[in-house]
Amino acid sequence: MCLLLSRFVTSQRDPTTDPVVLWLNGGPGCSSLDGFLAENGPLHVNENGQTLYINEFSWNKVANMLYLESPAGVGFSYSDSGDYTTNDKEVAENNYLALLDFFRKFWNFTKNDFYVFGESYGGIYVPTLSLKIANGPAKINLKGFAVGNGLSSLYYNDQSLVYFAYYHGLLGEDLWYNLNQFCCEDGTCNFYNNTAKACSDLIREVSSIIFNSGLNLYSLYMDCAGGMQKGTARFDTDMKNLFQFYQFEMVVTREKAGYMDPMCIDGTAQRTWLNRADVRAALNIPTHVQRWELCSQVVSGSYRRIYTSMHDFYLSLLSKGLRVLVYNGDTDMVCNFLGGNWFVQSLNQAKTVEYQPWICDKQIAGFYEQYGNLTFLTIKGAGHMVPQWAPAQALKMFESYLSNTQY
């Protein structure tokens, strides 16, 4: 496990009293140093991977950011045993132990407000860790958590993706008609775990369009980095997050990529800088530790998923009075906004603020609604990595959440 406390950019307030915010990237198996170097961290890497520059939209402006490489084997983190087999429960426990170790060493932060943030498979990491903190004996001043484009429910994520694809013009009318004909009955559709072969074949066709046609899964309207990619090394890994019930086997149509970047995402700049000999030396990375990769195939390949829904975790955490934010860039297909919204609605909390736009730089930045301490929010035109692709809007959202003021 590896924790990095980021305080390079001077806070606009007082770092000794500012909130402490833990950030977790997802995967499972992807490095939180990508969050540091390309999303919300104080320093970003130039495209050539040789120099750093200050990120003017760093979340450090309002909080002390803490980045955790999780599980062990991700990024530069490693296990002495070399065994990287793990699961959702073990990751929550190990992340909790890492936090306890951090607060033992930096006891002066124990009184600061503490929040857990994460994206993608962080939809599992964040609530499971938050509940351990809330129920644990340690004096951690947990105030809330937030999940961005998170995998909170396999059912809602899969079920909604078919609708997302159709209403974004990805599925033709004939395919849509057949989906309604063979996957729906009495006005109710089941795209998630339909056992009818005719429906299963149609879902296979939908998944092939989404995954294997060259579209950027993480940001529909952005080009695919490096051009159209079909059957890359990351294909099977990405497929584990969607339509798992059907266990589709897709044909790999090109040589496996040498790097484990998510499909259509380019991590070359971060990889180049972090693997420089002088950078590794400055970070005190032992020589036997693996090269840094954006995502680890070793971790991903041996990871065992336990939870299919975070429903009960959210209800438990909301019952403790914690503030919760679920946000989605609305062009992401891996964890689409519609599924995120359906998941929030399924918690059956009383609505206190109707669905309405929020503003950033005199422009509509997206929409939000509130259910007491629970907020659902979209970021207009952003994809999976919101702080990277909509940095100004992300910082505004972050500030509003931490200060508990209107978005």
Side-chain angles (χ1 to χ4, degrees), residues 183-228:
C183 300
C184 307
E185 186 175 352
D186 297 328
T188 300
C189 299
N190 178 11
F191 302 128
Y192 171 63
N193 60 355
N194 202 308
T195 57
K197 185 179 185 305
C199 178
S200 176
D201 289 343
L202 292 167
I203 299 300
R204 178 191 295 272
E205 189 174 346
V206 171
S207 67
S208 184
I209 291 169
I210 293 170
F211 278 98
N212 212 27
S213 64
L215 292 170
N216 188 330
L217 303 175
Y218 295 90
S219 187
L220 177 57
Y221 301 122
M222 287 180 66
D223 291 339
C224 189
M228 292 173 57

mmCIF file of all heavy atoms in Angstrom, residues 183-228:
data_model
loop_
_atom_site.group_PDB
_atom_site.id
_atom_site.type_symbol
_atom_site.label_atom_id
_atom_site.label_comp_id
_atom_site.label_asym_id
_atom_site.label_seq_id
_atom_site.Cartn_x
_atom_site.Cartn_y
_atom_site.Cartn_z
ATOM 1 N N CYS A 183 -36.455 -8.784 -25.269
ATOM 2 C CA CYS A 183 -35.927 -8.589 -23.912
ATOM 3 C C CYS A 183 -36.952 -7.954 -22.971
ATOM 4 O O CYS A 183 -36.650 -7.747 -21.788
ATOM 5 C CB CYS A 183 -34.678 -7.697 -23.938
ATOM 6 S SG CYS A 183 -33.307 -8.343 -24.927
ATOM 7 N N CYS A 184 -38.137 -7.657 -23.481
ATOM 8 C CA CYS A 184 -39.132 -6.941 -22.690
ATOM 9 C C CYS A 184 -40.454 -7.714 -22.689
ATOM 10 O O CYS A 184 -40.790 -8.396 -23.660
ATOM 11 C CB CYS A 184 -39.369 -5.540 -23.246
ATOM 12 S SG CYS A 184 -37.852 -4.565 -23.462
ATOM 13 N N GLU A 185 -41.176 -7.570 -21.586
ATOM 14 C CA GLU A 185 -42.477 -8.222 -21.467
ATOM 15 C C GLU A 185 -43.389 -7.353 -20.609
ATOM 16 O O GLU A 185 -42.987 -6.911 -19.525
ATOM 17 C CB GLU A 185 -42.321 -9.605 -20.828
ATOM 18 C CG GLU A 185 -43.597 -10.411 -20.791
ATOM 19 C CD GLU A 185 -43.377 -11.811 -20.262
ATOM 20 O OE1 GLU A 185 -42.197 -12.202 -20.063
ATOM 21 O OE2 GLU A 185 -44.371 -12.512 -20.038
ATOM 22 N N ASP A 186 -44.569 -7.084 -21.112
ATOM 23 C CA ASP A 186 -45.558 -6.267 -20.401
ATOM 24 C C ASP A 186 -44.985 -4.911 -19.996
ATOM 25 O O ASP A 186 -45.231 -4.411 -18.883
ATOM 26 C CB ASP A 186 -46.070 -7.007 -19.152
ATOM 27 C CG ASP A 186 -46.793 -8.303 -19.493
ATOM 28 O OD1 ASP A 186 -47.420 -8.359 -20.566
ATOM 29 O OD2 ASP A 186 -46.694 -9.250 -18.695
ATOM 30 N N GLY A 187 -44.210 -4.330 -20.902
ATOM 31 C CA GLY A 187 -43.674 -2.997 -20.669
ATOM 32 C C GLY A 187 -42.451 -2.945 -19.782
ATOM 33 O O GLY A 187 -41.935 -1.860 -19.488
ATOM 34 N N THR A 188 -41.949 -4.109 -19.338
ATOM 35 C CA THR A 188 -40.756 -4.148 -18.495
ATOM 36 C C THR A 188 -39.628 -4.872 -19.222
ATOM 37 O O THR A 188 -39.823 -5.990 -19.710
ATOM 38 C CB THR A 188 -41.047 -4.872 -17.169
ATOM 39 O OG1 THR A 188 -42.082 -4.177 -16.476
ATOM 40 C CG2 THR A 188 -39.799 -4.916 -16.295
ATOM 41 N N CYS A 189 -38.469 -4.227 -19.283
ATOM 42 C CA CYS A 189 -37.327 -4.802 -19.998
ATOM 43 C C CYS A 189 -36.299 -5.328 -19.008
ATOM 44 O O CYS A 189 -36.087 -4.759 -17.940
ATOM 45 C CB CYS A 189 -36.673 -3.753 -20.897
ATOM 46 S SG CYS A 189 -37.769 -3.080 -22.178
ATOM 47 N N ASN A 190 -35.644 -6.412 -19.384
ATOM 48 C CA ASN A 190 -34.546 -6.962 -18.592
ATOM 49 C C ASN A 190 -33.337 -7.131 -19.498
ATOM 50 O O ASN A 190 -33.221 -8.106 -20.237
ATOM 51 C CB ASN A 190 -34.931 -8.305 -17.974
ATOM 52 C CG ASN A 190 -33.779 -8.926 -17.186
ATOM 53 O OD1 ASN A 190 -32.763 -8.271 -16.938
ATOM 54 N ND2 ASN A 190 -33.932 -10.183 -16.798
ATOM 55 N N PHE A 191 -32.437 -6.157 -19.435
ATOM 56 C CA PHE A 191 -31.203 -6.223 -20.210
ATOM 57 C C PHE A 191 -30.042 -6.734 -19.351
ATOM 58 O O PHE A 191 -28.956 -6.961 -19.866
ATOM 59 C CB PHE A 191 -30.841 -4.843 -20.758
ATOM 60 C CG PHE A 191 -31.914 -4.223 -21.619
ATOM 61 C CD1 PHE A 191 -32.376 -2.932 -21.373
ATOM 62 C CD2 PHE A 191 -32.460 -4.922 -22.687
ATOM 63 C CE1 PHE A 191 -33.347 -2.350 -22.167
ATOM 64 C CE2 PHE A 191 -33.439 -4.351 -23.489
ATOM 65 C CZ PHE A 191 -33.892 -3.063 -23.229
ATOM 66 N N TYR A 192 -30.280 -6.901 -18.074
ATOM 67 C CA TYR A 192 -29.206 -7.194 -17.120
ATOM 68 C C TYR A 192 -28.858 -8.679 -17.056
ATOM 69 O O TYR A 192 -27.682 -9.053 -17.155
ATOM 70 C CB TYR A 192 -29.606 -6.682 -15.738
ATOM 71 C CG TYR A 192 -28.690 -7.109 -14.625
ATOM 72 C CD1 TYR A 192 -27.347 -6.705 -14.596
ATOM 73 C CD2 TYR A 192 -29.156 -7.914 -13.578
ATOM 74 C CE1 TYR A 192 -26.509 -7.088 -13.570
ATOM 75 C CE2 TYR A 192 -28.318 -8.298 -12.547
ATOM 76 C CZ TYR A 192 -26.997 -7.888 -12.544
ATOM 77 O OH TYR A 192 -26.171 -8.275 -11.527
ATOM 78 N N ASN A 193 -29.863 -9.539 -16.900
ATOM 79 C CA ASN A 193 -29.591 -10.974 -16.746
ATOM 80 C C ASN A 193 -30.681 -11.805 -17.413
ATOM 81 O O ASN A 193 -31.215 -12.743 -16.831
ATOM 82 C CB ASN A 193 -29.451 -11.358 -15.277
ATOM 83 C CG ASN A 193 -30.704 -11.054 -14.460
ATOM 84 O OD1 ASN A 193 -31.650 -10.460 -14.970
ATOM 85 N ND2 ASN A 193 -30.707 -11.454 -13.200
ATOM 86 N N ASN A 194 -30.979 -11.461 -18.638
ATOM 87 C CA ASN A 194 -32.041 -12.137 -19.379
ATOM 88 C C ASN A 194 -31.537 -13.494 -19.880
ATOM 89 O O ASN A 194 -30.500 -13.581 -20.556
ATOM 90 C CB ASN A 194 -32.486 -11.271 -20.552
ATOM 91 C CG ASN A 194 -33.875 -11.614 -21.017
ATOM 92 O OD1 ASN A 194 -34.172 -12.779 -21.285
ATOM 93 N ND2 ASN A 194 -34.730 -10.602 -21.122
ATOM 94 N N THR A 195 -32.255 -14.551 -19.548
ATOM 95 C CA THR A 195 -31.809 -15.895 -19.912
ATOM 96 C C THR A 195 -32.291 -16.333 -21.297
ATOM 97 O O THR A 195 -31.866 -17.393 -21.779
ATOM 98 C CB THR A 195 -32.306 -16.918 -18.870
ATOM 99 O OG1 THR A 195 -33.740 -16.828 -18.780
ATOM 100 C CG2 THR A 195 -31.687 -16.638 -17.512
ATOM 101 N N ALA A 196 -33.156 -15.547 -21.929
ATOM 102 C CA ALA A 196 -33.637 -15.902 -23.267
ATOM 103 C C ALA A 196 -32.505 -15.738 -24.273
ATOM 104 O O ALA A 196 -31.858 -14.687 -24.329
ATOM 105 C CB ALA A 196 -34.825 -15.033 -23.655
ATOM 106 N N LYS A 197 -32.248 -16.759 -25.081
ATOM 107 C CA LYS A 197 -31.130 -16.715 -26.024
ATOM 108 C C LYS A 197 -31.272 -15.570 -27.016
ATOM 109 O O LYS A 197 -30.287 -14.910 -27.377
ATOM 110 C CB LYS A 197 -30.990 -18.033 -26.776
ATOM 111 C CG LYS A 197 -29.758 -18.072 -27.692
ATOM 112 C CD LYS A 197 -29.610 -19.383 -28.404
ATOM 113 C CE LYS A 197 -28.312 -19.426 -29.208
ATOM 114 N NZ LYS A 197 -28.182 -18.315 -30.156
ATOM 115 N N ALA A 198 -32.495 -15.329 -27.481
ATOM 116 C CA ALA A 198 -32.700 -14.250 -28.458
ATOM 117 C C ALA A 198 -32.280 -12.905 -27.870
ATOM 118 O O ALA A 198 -31.646 -12.082 -28.541
ATOM 119 C CB ALA A 198 -34.164 -14.213 -28.896
ATOM 120 N N CYS A 199 -32.608 -12.693 -26.600
ATOM 121 C CA CYS A 199 -32.217 -11.440 -25.945
ATOM 122 C C CYS A 199 -30.713 -11.409 -25.712
ATOM 123 O O CYS A 199 -30.057 -10.388 -25.951
ATOM 124 C CB CYS A 199 -32.966 -11.287 -24.625
ATOM 125 S SG CYS A 199 -32.505 -9.778 -23.718
ATOM 126 N N SER A 200 -30.156 -12.513 -25.241
ATOM 127 C CA SER A 200 -28.714 -12.587 -24.992
ATOM 128 C C SER A 200 -27.924 -12.262 -26.252
ATOM 129 O O SER A 200 -26.919 -11.540 -26.205
ATOM 130 C CB SER A 200 -28.343 -13.977 -24.481
ATOM 131 O OG SER A 200 -26.954 -14.098 -24.320
ATOM 132 N N ASP A 201 -28.364 -12.772 -27.392
ATOM 133 C CA ASP A 201 -27.681 -12.491 -28.656
ATOM 134 C C ASP A 201 -27.740 -11.002 -28.992
ATOM 135 O O ASP A 201 -26.780 -10.428 -29.528
ATOM 136 C CB ASP A 201 -28.311 -13.300 -29.787
ATOM 137 C CG ASP A 201 -28.001 -14.790 -29.688
ATOM 138 O OD1 ASP A 201 -27.059 -15.157 -28.953
ATOM 139 O OD2 ASP A 201 -28.710 -15.583 -30.340
ATOM 140 N N LEU A 202 -28.870 -10.373 -28.684
ATOM 141 C CA LEU A 202 -29.011 -8.938 -28.951
ATOM 142 C C LEU A 202 -28.129 -8.112 -28.024
ATOM 143 O O LEU A 202 -27.521 -7.125 -28.455
ATOM 144 C CB LEU A 202 -30.475 -8.524 -28.796
ATOM 145 C CG LEU A 202 -31.438 -9.076 -29.849
ATOM 146 C CD1 LEU A 202 -32.886 -8.874 -29.420
ATOM 147 C CD2 LEU A 202 -31.191 -8.424 -31.205
ATOM 148 N N ILE A 203 -28.032 -8.514 -26.753
ATOM 149 C CA ILE A 203 -27.154 -7.802 -25.820
ATOM 150 C C ILE A 203 -25.703 -7.959 -26.253
ATOM 151 O O ILE A 203 -24.893 -7.028 -26.124
ATOM 152 C CB ILE A 203 -27.356 -8.307 -24.387
ATOM 153 C CG1 ILE A 203 -28.799 -8.068 -23.911
ATOM 154 C CG2 ILE A 203 -26.382 -7.629 -23.433
ATOM 155 C CD1 ILE A 203 -29.199 -6.612 -23.902
ATOM 156 N N ARG A 204 -25.354 -9.117 -26.798
ATOM 157 C CA ARG A 204 -24.015 -9.304 -27.347
ATOM 158 C C ARG A 204 -23.747 -8.290 -28.461
ATOM 159 O O ARG A 204 -22.665 -7.706 -28.547
ATOM 160 C CB ARG A 204 -23.849 -10.720 -27.883
ATOM 161 C CG ARG A 204 -22.474 -10.974 -28.522
ATOM 162 C CD ARG A 204 -22.449 -12.288 -29.278
ATOM 163 N NE ARG A 204 -22.615 -13.417 -28.387
ATOM 164 C CZ ARG A 204 -21.603 -14.020 -27.760
ATOM 165 N NH1 ARG A 204 -20.372 -13.577 -27.936
ATOM 166 N NH2 ARG A 204 -21.828 -15.044 -26.978
ATOM 167 N N GLU A 205 -24.746 -8.078 -29.308
ATOM 168 C CA GLU A 205 -24.599 -7.111 -30.403
ATOM 169 C C GLU A 205 -24.424 -5.699 -29.852
ATOM 170 O O GLU A 205 -23.591 -4.927 -30.340
ATOM 171 C CB GLU A 205 -25.819 -7.179 -31.318
ATOM 172 C CG GLU A 205 -25.680 -6.373 -32.589
ATOM 173 C CD GLU A 205 -26.850 -6.576 -33.548
ATOM 174 O OE1 GLU A 205 -27.628 -7.533 -33.354
ATOM 175 O OE2 GLU A 205 -26.972 -5.759 -34.485
ATOM 176 N N VAL A 206 -25.209 -5.361 -28.820
ATOM 177 C CA VAL A 206 -25.083 -4.048 -28.190
ATOM 178 C C VAL A 206 -23.691 -3.877 -27.587
ATOM 179 O O VAL A 206 -23.025 -2.847 -27.787
ATOM 180 C CB VAL A 206 -26.153 -3.865 -27.094
ATOM 181 C CG1 VAL A 206 -25.892 -2.587 -26.288
ATOM 182 C CG2 VAL A 206 -27.545 -3.826 -27.706
ATOM 183 N N SER A 207 -23.215 -4.880 -26.868
ATOM 184 C CA SER A 207 -21.905 -4.787 -26.218
ATOM 185 C C SER A 207 -20.784 -4.668 -27.246
ATOM 186 O O SER A 207 -19.795 -3.974 -27.024
ATOM 187 C CB SER A 207 -21.671 -5.987 -25.305
ATOM 188 O OG SER A 207 -21.546 -7.178 -26.041
ATOM 189 N N SER A 208 -20.941 -5.336 -28.378
ATOM 190 C CA SER A 208 -19.926 -5.238 -29.429
ATOM 191 C C SER A 208 -19.870 -3.829 -30.007
ATOM 192 O O SER A 208 -18.793 -3.298 -30.288
ATOM 193 C CB SER A 208 -20.220 -6.254 -30.534
ATOM 194 O OG SER A 208 -19.202 -6.232 -31.507
ATOM 195 N N ILE A 209 -21.042 -3.199 -30.173
ATOM 196 C CA ILE A 209 -21.081 -1.819 -30.677
ATOM 197 C C ILE A 209 -20.395 -0.883 -29.688
ATOM 198 O O ILE A 209 -19.596 -0.019 -30.073
ATOM 199 C CB ILE A 209 -22.540 -1.379 -30.912
ATOM 200 C CG1 ILE A 209 -23.139 -2.136 -32.094
ATOM 201 C CG2 ILE A 209 -22.620 0.132 -31.157
ATOM 202 C CD1 ILE A 209 -24.641 -1.971 -32.241
ATOM 203 N N ILE A 210 -20.688 -1.062 -28.412
ATOM 204 C CA ILE A 210 -20.149 -0.171 -27.397
ATOM 205 C C ILE A 210 -18.655 -0.409 -27.177
ATOM 206 O O ILE A 210 -17.859 0.530 -27.125
ATOM 207 C CB ILE A 210 -20.921 -0.345 -26.072
ATOM 208 C CG1 ILE A 210 -22.361 0.142 -26.247
ATOM 209 C CG2 ILE A 210 -20.237 0.401 -24.931
ATOM 210 C CD1 ILE A 210 -23.264 -0.196 -25.085
ATOM 211 N N PHE A 211 -18.266 -1.685 -27.077
ATOM 212 C CA PHE A 211 -16.899 -2.021 -26.696
ATOM 213 C C PHE A 211 -15.943 -2.182 -27.867
ATOM 214 O O PHE A 211 -14.757 -1.897 -27.744
ATOM 215 C CB PHE A 211 -16.887 -3.337 -25.904
ATOM 216 C CG PHE A 211 -17.208 -3.189 -24.457
ATOM 217 C CD1 PHE A 211 -18.478 -3.433 -23.994
ATOM 218 C CD2 PHE A 211 -16.237 -2.802 -23.552
ATOM 219 C CE1 PHE A 211 -18.780 -3.304 -22.649
ATOM 220 C CE2 PHE A 211 -16.528 -2.669 -22.206
ATOM 221 C CZ PHE A 211 -17.807 -2.922 -21.755
ATOM 222 N N ASN A 212 -16.413 -2.685 -28.965
ATOM 223 C CA ASN A 212 -15.484 -3.170 -29.988
ATOM 224 C C ASN A 212 -15.640 -2.490 -31.337
ATOM 225 O O ASN A 212 -15.237 -3.030 -32.347
ATOM 226 C CB ASN A 212 -15.660 -4.687 -30.149
ATOM 227 C CG ASN A 212 -14.357 -5.370 -30.525
ATOM 228 O OD1 ASN A 212 -13.277 -4.875 -30.208
ATOM 229 N ND2 ASN A 212 -14.449 -6.498 -31.195
ATOM 230 N N SER A 213 -16.222 -1.281 -31.322
ATOM 231 C CA SER A 213 -16.411 -0.574 -32.590
ATOM 232 C C SER A 213 -15.438 0.580 -32.759
ATOM 233 O O SER A 213 -15.374 1.187 -33.838
ATOM 234 C CB SER A 213 -17.848 -0.044 -32.683
ATOM 235 O OG SER A 213 -18.081 0.926 -31.674
ATOM 236 N N GLY A 214 -14.679 0.894 -31.700
ATOM 237 C CA GLY A 214 -13.733 2.003 -31.771
ATOM 238 C C GLY A 214 -14.193 3.249 -31.056
ATOM 239 O O GLY A 214 -13.513 4.274 -31.079
ATOM 240 N N LEU A 215 -15.367 3.200 -30.407
ATOM 241 C CA LEU A 215 -15.839 4.347 -29.640
ATOM 242 C C LEU A 215 -15.005 4.515 -28.377
ATOM 243 O O LEU A 215 -14.459 3.555 -27.839
ATOM 244 C CB LEU A 215 -17.309 4.149 -29.244
ATOM 245 C CG LEU A 215 -18.342 4.174 -30.366
ATOM 246 C CD1 LEU A 215 -19.704 3.715 -29.836
ATOM 247 C CD2 LEU A 215 -18.455 5.575 -30.957
ATOM 248 N N ASN A 216 -14.918 5.752 -27.908
ATOM 249 C CA ASN A 216 -14.262 6.023 -26.639
ATOM 250 C C ASN A 216 -15.278 5.750 -25.525
ATOM 251 O O ASN A 216 -16.199 6.525 -25.290
ATOM 252 C CB ASN A 216 -13.783 7.473 -26.571
ATOM 253 C CG ASN A 216 -12.920 7.744 -25.345
ATOM 254 O OD1 ASN A 216 -13.090 7.125 -24.308
ATOM 255 N ND2 ASN A 216 -11.999 8.686 -25.475
ATOM 256 N N LEU A 217 -15.116 4.631 -24.836
ATOM 257 C CA LEU A 217 -16.056 4.224 -23.797
ATOM 258 C C LEU A 217 -16.149 5.247 -22.680
ATOM 259 O O LEU A 217 -17.193 5.392 -22.044
ATOM 260 C CB LEU A 217 -15.610 2.895 -23.167
ATOM 261 C CG LEU A 217 -15.419 1.686 -24.063
ATOM 262 C CD1 LEU A 217 -14.855 0.547 -23.238
ATOM 263 C CD2 LEU A 217 -16.725 1.295 -24.692
ATOM 264 N N TYR A 218 -15.056 5.929 -22.429
ATOM 265 C CA TYR A 218 -14.962 6.801 -21.259
ATOM 266 C C TYR A 218 -15.423 8.223 -21.537
ATOM 267 O O TYR A 218 -15.650 8.985 -20.599
ATOM 268 C CB TYR A 218 -13.521 6.809 -20.741
ATOM 269 C CG TYR A 218 -13.104 5.452 -20.236
ATOM 270 C CD1 TYR A 218 -12.509 4.524 -21.087
ATOM 271 C CD2 TYR A 218 -13.333 5.078 -18.921
ATOM 272 C CE1 TYR A 218 -12.148 3.263 -20.623
ATOM 273 C CE2 TYR A 218 -12.972 3.819 -18.450
ATOM 274 C CZ TYR A 218 -12.384 2.913 -19.317
ATOM 275 O OH TYR A 218 -12.046 1.657 -18.863
ATOM 276 N N SER A 219 -15.556 8.565 -22.795
ATOM 277 C CA SER A 219 -16.038 9.904 -23.154
ATOM 278 C C SER A 219 -16.529 9.836 -24.594
ATOM 279 O O SER A 219 -15.746 9.944 -25.536
ATOM 280 C CB SER A 219 -14.917 10.935 -23.012
ATOM 281 O OG SER A 219 -15.415 12.235 -23.192
ATOM 282 N N LEU A 220 -17.827 9.634 -24.746
ATOM 283 C CA LEU A 220 -18.412 9.300 -26.036
ATOM 284 C C LEU A 220 -18.036 10.263 -27.148
ATOM 285 O O LEU A 220 -17.796 9.845 -28.283
ATOM 286 C CB LEU A 220 -19.945 9.243 -25.887
ATOM 287 C CG LEU A 220 -20.754 8.981 -27.160
ATOM 288 C CD1 LEU A 220 -20.338 7.675 -27.822
ATOM 289 C CD2 LEU A 220 -22.243 8.984 -26.847
ATOM 290 N N TYR A 221 -17.953 11.560 -26.843
ATOM 291 C CA TYR A 221 -17.723 12.540 -27.896
ATOM 292 C C TYR A 221 -16.258 12.926 -28.058
ATOM 293 O O TYR A 221 -15.940 13.820 -28.842
ATOM 294 C CB TYR A 221 -18.591 13.779 -27.641
ATOM 295 C CG TYR A 221 -20.069 13.429 -27.604
ATOM 296 C CD1 TYR A 221 -20.848 13.712 -26.487
ATOM 297 C CD2 TYR A 221 -20.674 12.778 -28.680
ATOM 298 C CE1 TYR A 221 -22.184 13.363 -26.444
ATOM 299 C CE2 TYR A 221 -22.005 12.430 -28.646
ATOM 300 C CZ TYR A 221 -22.763 12.718 -27.527
ATOM 301 O OH TYR A 221 -24.091 12.370 -27.492
ATOM 302 N N MET A 222 -15.369 12.269 -27.322
ATOM 303 C CA MET A 222 -13.942 12.486 -27.514
ATOM 304 C C MET A 222 -13.384 11.428 -28.451
ATOM 305 O O MET A 222 -13.877 10.299 -28.500
ATOM 306 C CB MET A 222 -13.191 12.423 -26.176
ATOM 307 C CG MET A 222 -13.411 13.611 -25.278
ATOM 308 S SD MET A 222 -12.481 13.469 -23.719
ATOM 309 C CE MET A 222 -10.788 13.544 -24.334
ATOM 310 N N ASP A 223 -12.345 11.793 -29.211
ATOM 311 C CA ASP A 223 -11.680 10.821 -30.063
ATOM 312 C C ASP A 223 -11.009 9.753 -29.215
ATOM 313 O O ASP A 223 -10.696 9.957 -28.037
ATOM 314 C CB ASP A 223 -10.626 11.501 -30.939
ATOM 315 C CG ASP A 223 -11.245 12.396 -32.006
ATOM 316 O OD1 ASP A 223 -12.434 12.190 -32.325
ATOM 317 O OD2 ASP A 223 -10.552 13.311 -32.495
ATOM 318 N N CYS A 224 -10.770 8.622 -29.826
ATOM 319 C CA CYS A 224 -10.061 7.530 -29.172
ATOM 320 C C CYS A 224 -8.560 7.785 -29.304
ATOM 321 O O CYS A 224 -8.047 7.914 -30.428
ATOM 322 C CB CYS A 224 -10.440 6.210 -29.839
ATOM 323 S SG CYS A 224 -9.843 4.746 -28.990
ATOM 324 N N ALA A 225 -7.853 7.907 -28.180
ATOM 325 C CA ALA A 225 -6.415 8.174 -28.212
ATOM 326 C C ALA A 225 -5.697 7.108 -29.022
ATOM 327 O O ALA A 225 -5.886 5.910 -28.797
ATOM 328 C CB ALA A 225 -5.863 8.233 -26.798
ATOM 329 N N GLY A 226 -4.898 7.538 -29.978
ATOM 330 C CA GLY A 226 -4.171 6.603 -30.829
ATOM 331 C C GLY A 226 -5.003 6.034 -31.956
ATOM 332 O O GLY A 226 -4.560 5.123 -32.663
ATOM 333 N N GLY A 227 -6.200 6.548 -32.140
ATOM 334 C CA GLY A 227 -7.081 6.040 -33.192
ATOM 335 C C GLY A 227 -7.961 4.912 -32.676
ATOM 336 O O GLY A 227 -7.866 4.487 -31.526
ATOM 337 N N MET A 228 -8.810 4.405 -33.537
ATOM 338 C CA MET A 228 -9.735 3.346 -33.152
ATOM 339 C C MET A 228 -8.983 2.135 -32.633
ATOM 340 O O MET A 228 -7.992 1.705 -33.211
ATOM 341 C CB MET A 228 -10.600 2.941 -34.348
ATOM 342 C CG MET A 228 -11.582 4.004 -34.799
ATOM 343 S SD MET A 228 -12.416 3.555 -36.334
ATOM 344 C CE MET A 228 -13.152 1.987 -35.890
#
